[in-house]
Amino acid sequence: MRILLVEDDRLLGDGLKAGLAQAGYAVDWLRDGEAAVAALSTETFAAVVLDLGLPKRDGLSVLQWLRGRKDATPVLILTARDQLEDRVRGLDLGADDYVLKPFDLDEIAARLRALVRRAHGRPEPVLTLGAIELNPAARTVTRAGQAVELTPREFDLLHLLLQNADRVLTRRSLEEQLYTWNDAVDSNALEVHIHHLRRKLGNELIRTVRGVGYMASASPHA
């Protein structure tokens, strides 16, 4: 799951990026508001972790711009400001959640999972499709009650497919949500991960829509 982190403090940003990556997120990290606007204009992210006190363009301005273009990407605000007025303004401008510094990395990861679930209309913490169950918090997968071992990338790909069950996801959209700018991606990497998921979870789970992309479905393929 790809996250945009916008934080100008190098020490904090480095810790957040490392911690979120350990929790299973693909994290792109930017340090100013103008760079964030440029990235959000052209890239797709599952959520944005946004500091308010940014150089060039502050976080509230970035948030206002994002919502002004009808972009509903979930936004979690991080800030050292503890005045009620700042919190209220951020929420009124369209922030989905708000955390004050200092914070716990596990809490940030849990809040992001909740935001992404709600954004996909899936309030339940565990994703289920047919005999497959995926727990994002524990990063576990079972098939008919039996644990299935997946690599981190296979897990992230399956997570995306189950979040969008019965919807076709293009190759480009999957790659945009799986990989950061710094990832070196082989041209056939996605197909390899799909092949491994089918081998481990059954060929019937993931359908190839030729010329378009892939879809997870519990229904038999036509």
Side-chain angles (χ1 to χ4, degrees):
M1 189 181 305
R2 190 180 178 199
I3 301 295
L4 178 64
L5 169 63
V6 194
E7 169 59 64
D8 64 318
D9 184 296
R10 286 184 176 271
L11 186 61
L12 180 58
D14 188 59
L16 268 170
K17 182 176 181 179
L20 289 174
Q22 190 173 16
Y25 295 98
V27 184
D28 285 308
W29 174 24
L30 297 174
R31 298 175 178 83
D32 69 76
E34 288 293 348
V37 166
L40 289 164
S41 297
T42 58
E43 303 279 348
T44 300
F45 300 93
V48 180
V49 179
L50 181 66
D51 183 39
L52 291 188
L54 298 170
K56 298 186 179 179
R57 186 167 186 164
D58 68 37
L60 289 177
S61 175
V62 173
L63 176 61
Q64 189 171 27
W65 169 85
L66 186 69
R67 296 304 186 234
R69 69 198 297 262
K70 310 302 182 185
D71 189 325
T73 301
V75 175
L76 174 65
I77 286 182
L78 304 178
T79 181
R81 304 175 192 177
D82 57 3
Q83 286 85 12
L84 177 62
E85 181 180 350
D86 289 322
R87 298 199 298 271
V88 170
R89 188 174 177 215
L91 293 169
D92 282 345
L93 286 175
D96 298 275
D97 204 353
Y98 213 113
V99 177
L100 296 176
K101 303 172 186 177
F103 47 77
D104 182 83
L105 273 171
D106 289 339
E107 180 185 6
I108 297 296
R111 287 178 181 268
L112 282 171
R113 286 192 294 269
L115 290 182
V116 174
R117 285 200 307 268
R118 291 201 296 267
H120 286 82
R122 295 177 176 270
E124 65 279 1
V126 176
L127 296 176
T128 303
L129 186 67
I132 307 300
E133 287 193 358
L134 180 147
N135 187 319
R139 290 186 67 81
T140 58
V141 174
T142 62
R143 181 188 184 193
Q146 299 298 309
V148 179
E149 293 295 325
L150 301 181
T151 67
R153 194 70 77 189
E154 290 166 3
F155 181 93
D156 293 339
L157 175 56
L158 180 63
H159 191 186
L160 282 171
L161 290 167
L162 294 190
Q163 278 183 324
N164 297 277
D166 296 317
R167 290 178 51 201
V168 180
L169 297 178
T170 66
R171 176 195 177 100
R172 179 178 177 181
S173 71
L174 286 168
E175 289 179 340
E176 283 182 347
Q177 295 177 79
L178 285 170
Y179 300 105
T180 70
W181 297 312
N182 296 324
D183 289 329
V185 185
D186 292 335
S187 60
N188 68 335
L190 186 63
E191 287 78 6
V192 171
H193 294 318
I194 292 287
H195 171 75
H196 290 164
L197 286 176
R198 285 172 171 158
R199 178 170 53 83
K200 295 176 180 181
L201 300 173
N203 288 327
E204 69 282 357
L205 177 67
I206 302 172
R207 175 185 175 189
T208 299
V209 181
R210 295 195 179 278
V212 183
Y214 299 95
M215 178 178 70
S217 176
S219 302
H221 298 174

